[in-house]
């Protein structure tokens, strides 16, 4: 379940009746959050052939797309994303991780911090970077650059319905 608040933050919830914190399925569990830095005015779900995409339209006119990815792909891309966030100098001094993080005073108790991949960092930096940097990042993760590029292409193919 994807929800938005009045502060421009997206919240990801999951139904997990076997988890102790859900009180037997009576409560949804917050699994992630992501700041869009603009108030969300509309959320729309678009059903594709293989996956669903949620569009978040914001007050400033931007449109953000959110989609689920398989767990293995998420973990691989999250590790590469973390490496790139540390290795690439930030644009205008903005820390890419903290820019998309929900501010500490707005965070709920059990909300994990890193559960959403930011394609605005991962895709341009990895795919447009040098082949040497791609191979180094992939080797540090224990995979190949081709596997990471394939994951990125598969993840972005969901948005081809537009």
């Amino acid at each position: 379940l994807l929800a938005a608040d009045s502060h421009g933050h997206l919240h990801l919830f999951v139904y997990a009746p076997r988890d102790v914190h859900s009180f037997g399925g009576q409560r949804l569990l917050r699994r992630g959050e992501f700041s869009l830095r603009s108030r969300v005015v509309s959320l729309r779900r678009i059903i594709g052939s293989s996956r669903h995409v949620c569009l978040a339209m914001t007050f400033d006119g931007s449109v953000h797309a959110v989609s689920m990815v398989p767990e293995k792909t998420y973990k691989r891309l999250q590790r590469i994303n973390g490496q790139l966030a540390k290795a690439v100098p930030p644009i205008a001094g903005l820390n890419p991780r903290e820019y998309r993080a929900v501010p500490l005073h707005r965070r709920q108790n059990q909300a994990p911090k890193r559960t959403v991949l930011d394609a605005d960092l991962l895709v341009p930096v990895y795919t447009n970077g040098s082949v040497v940097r791609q191979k180094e990042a992939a080797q540090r993760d224990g995979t190949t650059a081709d596997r990471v590029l394939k994951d990125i292409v598969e993840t972005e193919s969901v948005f081809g319905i537009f």
Side-chain angles (χ1 to χ4, degrees):
L1 178 68
L2 182 67
D5 64 19
S6 61
H7 302 288
H9 308 133
L10 293 179
H11 302 276
L12 302 164
F13 294 94
V14 66
Y15 174 71
R18 291 192 170 98
D19 192 308
V20 158
H21 295 99
S22 73
F23 298 101
Q26 295 298 312
R27 290 187 180 174
L28 294 174
L29 299 179
R30 177 183 260 125
R31 287 294 182 222
E33 49 194 15
F34 191 75
S35 180
L36 298 177
R37 302 288 178 189
S38 182
R39 189 170 60 102
V40 176
V41 293
S42 180
L43 284 173
R44 296 282 185 247
R45 184 176 76 168
I46 297 176
I47 301 171
S49 60
S50 62
R51 290 195 212 158
H52 299 255
V53 176
C54 287
L55 297 179
M57 284 66 79
T58 61
F59 191 70
D60 65 3
S62 60
V63 178
H64 302 271
V66 179
S67 178
M68 301 288 287
V69 295
E71 186 75 21
K72 286 178 117 178
T73 302
Y74 164 76
K75 287 182 178 182
R76 185 175 15 260
L77 293 179
Q78 184 65 26
R79 289 188 301 263
I80 298 292
N81 199 15
Q83 289 180 31
L84 294 176
K86 291 177 187 172
V88 176
I91 298 170
L94 293 174
N95 181 334
R97 282 187 184 175
E98 291 303 316
Y99 178 71
R100 292 295 188 187
V102 173
L104 190 58
H105 68 281
R106 298 258 184 237
R107 238 181 254 154
Q108 299 295 324
N109 295 345
Q110 299 173 351
K113 194 172 178 182
R114 288 181 224 123
T115 54
V116 178
L117 289 170
D118 188 359
D120 289 340
L121 171 68
L122 180 66
V123 174
V125 172
Y126 192 83
T127 58
N128 298 334
S130 69
V131 175
V132 173
R133 178 179 276 168
Q134 290 176 1
K135 286 182 180 180
E136 287 175 357
Q139 285 175 347
R140 275 183 259 151
D141 187 46
T143 188
T144 64
D146 289 338
R147 177 72 243 173
V148 175
L149 287 170
K150 189 174 182 179
D151 287 342
I152 290 171
V153 168
E154 286 174 5
T155 301
E156 287 203 322
S157 69
V158 160
F159 303 111
I161 60 176
F162 304 113

